[in-house]
Amino acid sequence: MRFPLSTCADRPLRCCGSRQGVAAVEAAIALPLLILLVFGALEIANGIFLTQTLAVAAYEGAREAVRPGGTPEQVQQRIEDLLVSRGVHNFTVSIVPELTASTPSGTPITVEVRAPMNALAPQSIGIIGDRVSIRRACMAKH
């Protein structure tokens, strides 16, 4: 005995209903995750860029500090020029030990640069949080 093939017209609507609802539910679940992934990657990339920028600024500041005749003002200006040119405005600089005209040659000078991780993107989504990036460079005075 053969059974005739049934068609969609023979079945109730719930069996052969449109799949548009399924696609909408899948999109509603996947789209927020995709957006979170993209913006999270951008925020982490900004954090890495900031960390590298602070490392370069600390190095350049230390180079300025160990030069003969280098002053704290010159160090601050060199670091500020570099950071502002890269879009970082909220930062602090410290030089240890205090740099003076009488600082003897061979003294290790450490320059530290700090900035909040959201210094480049204040409207961050919060993956990095309220962390502060700190980078130091140490060189011997000439």
Side-chain angles (χ1 to χ4, degrees), residues 1-140:
M1 179 188 254
R2 296 185 120 206
F3 294 104
L5 295 174
S6 63
T7 63
C8 209
D10 299 339
R11 294 186 183 175
L13 185 58
R14 63 178 157 71
C15 291
C16 294
S18 172
R19 295 204 31 98
Q20 291 175 355
V22 174
V25 170
E26 289 173 354
I29 292 171
L31 192 60
L33 294 175
L34 183 62
I35 289 171
L36 181 66
L37 182 67
V38 168
F39 284 108
L42 288 174
E43 188 167 337
I44 290 172
N46 274 339
I48 292 169
F49 177 76
L50 175 68
T51 300
Q52 288 301 104
T53 299
L54 294 180
V56 169
Y59 174 79
E60 290 295 324
R63 283 187 56 211
E64 194 69 34
V66 299
R67 278 187 2 185
T71 65
E73 293 78 24
Q74 291 171 333
V75 173
Q76 180 74 27
Q77 187 61 48
R78 177 70 179 127
I79 291 172
E80 185 175 332
D81 290 345
L82 198 138
L83 291 178
V84 168
S85 72
R86 295 186 182 188
V88 181
H89 299 284
N90 185 13
F91 61 91
T92 59
V93 176
S94 64
I95 305 168
V96 177
E98 187 174 332
L99 191 60
T100 63
S102 63
T103 303
S105 181
T107 303
I109 307 291
T110 301
V111 175
E112 179 182 278
V113 183
R114 296 173 172 248
M117 290 299 282
N118 64 355
L120 287 173
Q123 301 84 10
S124 64
I125 61 174
I127 290 177
I128 293 179
D130 294 332
R131 296 186 178 123
V132 174
S133 183
I134 304 169
R135 290 293 173 258
R136 294 179 187 95
C138 184
M139 294 184 184

